[in-house]
Amino acid sequence: MLSAYIETSFFSACVSDRMDAQSAAWRTTSEQWWAVNKGRFRMCVSEEVIAELSAPTFLEGPAALDMLNGLPILRLSPEVRGLATIFVKQKVMPGPAFSGDAIHVAVATTYSMDYMVSWNVKHLANVNKRNHLAHVCLRLGLTPPLIVTPDLLW
């Protein structure tokens, strides 16, 4: 079974109450994707996803956290933290290396996830980042996940 690391922006999109066209489309797509694909992939989250969804500033956190029930939680091991630092130093991901995007990509890479699902098209699901990430991972003997938006992973 293929594996998918589900990044915070996916859960945020699912529970968002924003009514603009993009937010509504992402919410609908995410809900449909979750319903159809939850059993098709070994889905995982990390301690970073939990921390981000638990932030006091994220008002929809409880609803998003409910979606994590039963999903494996990947630890932020020293290997993950070290890889995140390399990603920031190599300018694959923006800093800081101890949280956020760098940690998400490091988790998905360290745990050999096939896919990383994200709506963050600026720093994560960005085709321009793909080659840079692959190049850095190749030098380290690692295989990066394919980072995609939910609509691309039907």
Side-chain angles (χ1 to χ4, degrees):
M1 177 178 280
L2 293 172
S3 59
Y5 173 80
I6 314 298
E7 186 262 337
T8 308
S9 64
F10 173 85
F11 297 106
S12 178
C14 286
V15 300
S16 173
D17 60 0
R18 294 180 184 159
M19 299 308 292
D20 62 277
Q22 182 179 34
S23 295
W26 283 5
R27 182 174 48 253
T28 300
T29 299
S30 297
E31 289 170 346
Q32 291 172 350
W33 187 88
W34 187 253
V36 170
N37 291 293
K38 192 169 182 198
R40 291 183 55 214
F41 295 94
R42 182 177 64 87
M43 295 191 190
C44 300
V45 296
S46 69
E47 294 170 329
E48 181 68 10
V49 172
I50 294 169
E52 291 176 356
L53 294 176
S54 299
T57 55
F58 186 63
L59 301 179
E60 298 90 0
L65 287 166
D66 283 346
M67 294 180 70
L68 308 185
N69 286 336
L71 296 181
I73 300 168
L74 306 176
R75 290 188 51 247
L76 302 184
S77 66
E79 184 180 3
V80 167
R81 293 187 185 283
L83 186 57
T85 299
I86 291 170
F87 287 158
V88 171
K89 284 182 181 177
Q90 294 293 314
K91 301 191 185 316
V92 175
M93 289 289 124
F98 57 84
S99 66
D101 297 339
I103 287 288
H104 289 301
V105 177
V107 166
T109 302
T110 299
Y111 287 95
S112 303
M113 302 302 291
D114 296 302
Y115 296 98
M116 181 171 154
V117 180
S118 175
W119 282 115
N120 180 340
V121 294
K122 184 174 183 181
H123 296 126
L124 298 175
N126 178 330
V127 72
N128 296 319
K129 293 273 187 181
R130 188 176 298 156
N131 288 338
H132 191 187
L133 175 62
H135 180 73
V136 170
C137 286
L138 180 63
R139 287 194 336 242
L140 297 170
L142 300 169
T143 303
L146 183 57
I147 305 172
V148 295
T149 55
D151 55 336
L152 295 178
L153 192 57
W154 281 102

